[in-house]
Amino acid sequence: MRVLLLILAINFGYAQEQRKLIWSDEFDGAQLDSKSWNVEIGDGCPNCGWGNAERQLYTDENHRVSGGMLTITAKKEGEKYSSARISTKGKREFRYGRFEARAKLPVGHGIWPAFWMLGSNISKVGWPKCGEIDILEYVGREPDMVFTSLHTQDSHGNTVNTKKSRFENIEEGFHVFAAEWTKEKIDFYVDEKLVYTFNPKDRSEDVWPFDQPFYLLVNMAIGGNFGGPDVDDSIFPQEFVIDYIRVYQ
């Protein structure tokens, strides 16, 4: 068994060496890199919480870059909730590769942080035809669980191609969440453990819209269809902390 584990470790290290880092954000500055990121603003209307009946207002004031970290803070002020959502749409878009983030999760009932991707043609064809790759989703109402999912036209946007994986104490410390996307399949990892593979036989556009550029998103939602209808107001403020985001090909 030890020999097998050693071989696997050597092979993984070799695979890592074969990849080339093509873009990263280490968040070493004092603010977001405007050449890479858009700060998206929305209050739930008319976009109704970005389609998921979420409660938060996304602002340009609920994130900070400091100490080599990006921190998104969810707050409750009076009757209103606020948070942040950023994307690389129109600035950094990729087709295939390994996409990873090292992050520390927020906790509490109603919290819904995510690291994910959308097809760059969304403005033209709409969602879910553009495709969506959810590398990390976590909902505070289900502790110790990590969700990895894909949304396509074939599934009518529903969460069909998905996996919920248990990791004891995933809320403690930093963890690496990654997807390796090739022409043939998409593999999802948590701390280098393979948790889900999407490799359909049908390669029609409705089933596999993953042969085009995608862009990255990071956000923390509150409540909503997936986050849950109940929110524990006593948990706020909560922080979603990202150490780095890296893309290899």
Side-chain angles (χ1 to χ4, degrees):
M1 178 61 73
R2 290 183 178 179
V3 173
L4 176 60
L5 291 175
L6 178 60
I7 292 173
L8 290 174
I10 292 173
N11 287 339
F12 177 76
Y14 177 76
Q16 286 284 74
E17 291 177 358
Q18 298 308 299
R19 301 189 188 101
K20 179 181 179 181
L21 181 67
I22 64 166
W23 177 80
S24 72
D25 198 332
E26 308 294 324
F27 303 110
D28 290 331
Q31 60 185 9
L32 277 179
D33 178 7
S34 61
K35 294 181 180 179
S36 296
W37 296 103
N38 309 293
V39 177
E40 301 189 341
I41 309 297
D43 64 358
C45 289
N47 54 32
C48 295
W50 308 89
N52 292 291
E54 301 156 19
R55 298 192 185 188
Q56 78 289 332
L57 164 66
Y58 284 131
T59 80
D60 60 358
E61 299 178 349
N62 285 67
H63 74 276
R64 70 180 186 274
V65 177
S66 177
M69 306 282 179
L70 164 67
T71 301
I72 292 177
T73 304
K75 301 177 182 179
K76 174 75 161 43
E77 298 170 316
E79 297 301 315
K80 297 182 178 180
Y81 302 88
S82 61
S83 187
R85 166 170 156 153
I86 63 174
S87 83
T88 65
K89 184 179 182 181
K91 295 181 176 180
R92 303 286 183 182
E93 300 179 350
F94 311 93
R95 185 174 68 167
Y96 313 133
R98 176 183 169 91
F99 304 82
E100 65 179 38
R102 183 174 184 265
K104 186 178 188 301
L105 299 173
V107 296
H109 205 110
I111 289 296
W112 176 11
F115 169 50
W116 50 303
M117 305 178 73
L118 283 172
S120 299
N121 64 347
I122 187 171
S123 299
K124 181 179 179 181
V125 304
W127 184 93
K129 193 172 183 63
C130 65
E132 178 177 328
I133 304 171
D134 296 329
I135 303 170
L136 158 70
E137 287 185 291
Y138 171 85
V139 289
R141 59 186 169 83
E142 295 197 44
D144 300 326
M145 294 294 182
V146 174
F147 296 80
T148 49
S149 307
L150 296 134
H151 299 277
T152 65
Q153 185 67 37
D154 179 65
S155 66
H156 305 288
N158 295 321
T159 310
V160 174
N161 306 306
T162 185
K163 178 68 179 297
K164 181 168 67 172
S165 304
R166 176 178 291 277
F167 288 87
E168 297 293 335
N169 302 317
I170 192 69
E171 298 85 2
E172 297 182 7
F174 284 83
H175 300 271
V176 177
F177 305 93
E180 294 191 5
W181 166 28
T182 70
K183 294 180 180 179
E184 292 77 29
K185 63 179 181 175
I186 303 176
D187 291 326
F188 295 87
Y189 296 85
V190 177
D191 290 334
E192 306 308 341
K193 179 181 178 181
L194 178 65
V195 295
Y196 179 57
T197 296
F198 183 63
N199 185 15
K201 293 181 180 180
D202 184 349
R203 292 289 162 161
S204 65
E205 186 177 345
D206 285 350
V207 175
W208 180 264
F210 305 113
D211 286 324
Q212 59 156 331
F214 274 58
Y215 61 90
L216 295 163
L217 302 97
V218 180
N219 72 291
M220 177 161 47
I222 301 168
N225 298 334
F226 193 47
D230 298 321
V231 177
D232 179 3
D233 291 345
S234 69
I235 67 174
F236 296 101
Q238 282 293 315
E239 294 184 341
F240 182 25
V241 185
I242 298 91
D243 181 17
Y244 62 74
I245 295 174
R246 295 172 181 169
V247 181
Y248 298 86
Q249 286 183 346

